[in-house]
Every structure is written in C-alpha cells, then in structure tokens.
Amino acid sequence: MNVPASQLPKSPTSHLHAMNLVVALLAGVISITGGIYSLKNNLFAGPAYGSLRGIVRDERIAKPLKLALVEISDLSGAVVNTATTDDNGHYSIESLKAGNYAVKFTAPLHKIETKTIKIEKDLVSSINADLFPEAPPANPSPGEYASSPVPRTI
C-alpha cells in the first residue's frame, strides 16, 4: 500500500531541523554584518591620533623649568611638533599621529635629554624629564663671565 508523503506522520525532530536552519541563517547574517562593520572601520577610518604631555624639572633642585623646549621627532629625525613649558614646567602636544617618537628636552644651562615614546590612538601619553644642570667650567678664562665690582662697606 502506497501512502503519499504528505499523509505520513511527521518526525518529532523535523521542526528542530527547520529551527536549526533559521538559527544558522541568522548567525550568517550577523557574521556578515559584523565583518562589513569591521572592514568599514578599518579601511575608511581616518588617521589615528593621540597626545603627549608632561613636566620638565631641574634635577638638582627638583623645581619646574619654565620655557624649556620640548621637540618631538619621528624616528627618521624629522621634527613633527614642538612645545614650550609653562610657569609650572608643564607641556602638552595634541594631535600626534600614532607611532614611535623621539622627544628632546632642552633648557638654558641644562644638559639636553632625549627619550623615546610610543603614541597610541585616542590615548594621552605622558613623559617627564628631569634635566641636569650643566657644570660651569672649572677654570673660567678671563672675561668668560661678565662681572661687576661688588661695593663693600667698611
């Protein structure tokens, strides 16, 4: 006796098979959407920028150095940006492309110090410097220092 397939009793797991297909379809759509979003953000995102700030101090007296020069260079040596410290020795440089940099600190009568730092996207990096005062010459030559007579009272 031949019974048409439409009249056969359905398997108790047939509805699970249909649900598995629906779940698989949804997972595929979500995966594709996430992949497109990730691709769009990686391919079409603008350049990544971060910032740098810190304090420059005199190593010997532990006081901030006003008007110290902070020079940021890429690793090939090209100067990218500069800043000058304020009255409290603070400096801040915004909008640096993410990457590795050399930071040179200079102040009058102090030794130059250079440090390296990695700037990361959307982060504020911090680097401080304690500059050593330059030692005066041991035996200054005549006329090397301008001096004025000091009046003496007796």
Side-chain angles (χ1 to χ4, degrees):
M1 154 167 145
N2 286 341
V3 179
S6 61
Q7 292 179 353
L8 289 174
K10 289 190 175 183
S11 163
T13 59
S14 64
H15 69 284
L16 292 177
H17 180 67
M19 286 191 62
N20 282 341
L21 288 175
V22 169
V23 168
L25 179 64
L26 285 174
V29 169
I30 291 170
S31 177
I32 289 171
T33 305
I36 290 171
Y37 177 77
S38 177
L39 184 64
K40 180 186 92 161
N41 284 342
N42 288 329
L43 287 179
F44 303 111
Y49 291 94
S51 58
L52 176 65
R53 55 183 65 146
I55 303 172
V56 181
R57 293 179 294 255
D58 181 295
E59 171 69 27
R60 187 172 46 83
I61 60 174
K63 292 208 175 189
L65 287 172
K66 178 180 175 182
L67 301 175
L69 179 65
V70 181
E71 184 178 273
I72 292 80
S73 303
D74 61 20
L75 296 183
S76 71
V79 175
V80 174
N81 208 334
T82 60
T84 305
T85 58
D86 63 13
D87 291 344
N88 298 314
H90 294 264
Y91 71 92
S92 180
I93 299 171
E94 305 294 325
S95 301
L96 288 169
K97 283 187 180 178
N100 294 313
Y101 293 92
V103 184
K104 182 167 83 172
F105 301 93
T106 57
L109 303 176
H110 288 79
K111 294 181 180 179
I112 295 171
E113 184 171 340
T114 303
K115 298 182 177 187
T116 58
I117 192 164
K118 181 176 184 176
I119 301 297
E120 298 190 42
K121 177 183 177 186
D122 299 327
L123 293 179
V124 177
S125 299
S126 178
I127 189 167
N128 299 325
D130 293 317
L131 302 183
F132 290 94
E134 289 182 341
N139 295 318
S141 59
E144 188 170 348
Y145 294 107
S147 62
S148 59
V150 178
R152 294 186 161 184
T153 55
I154 305 180

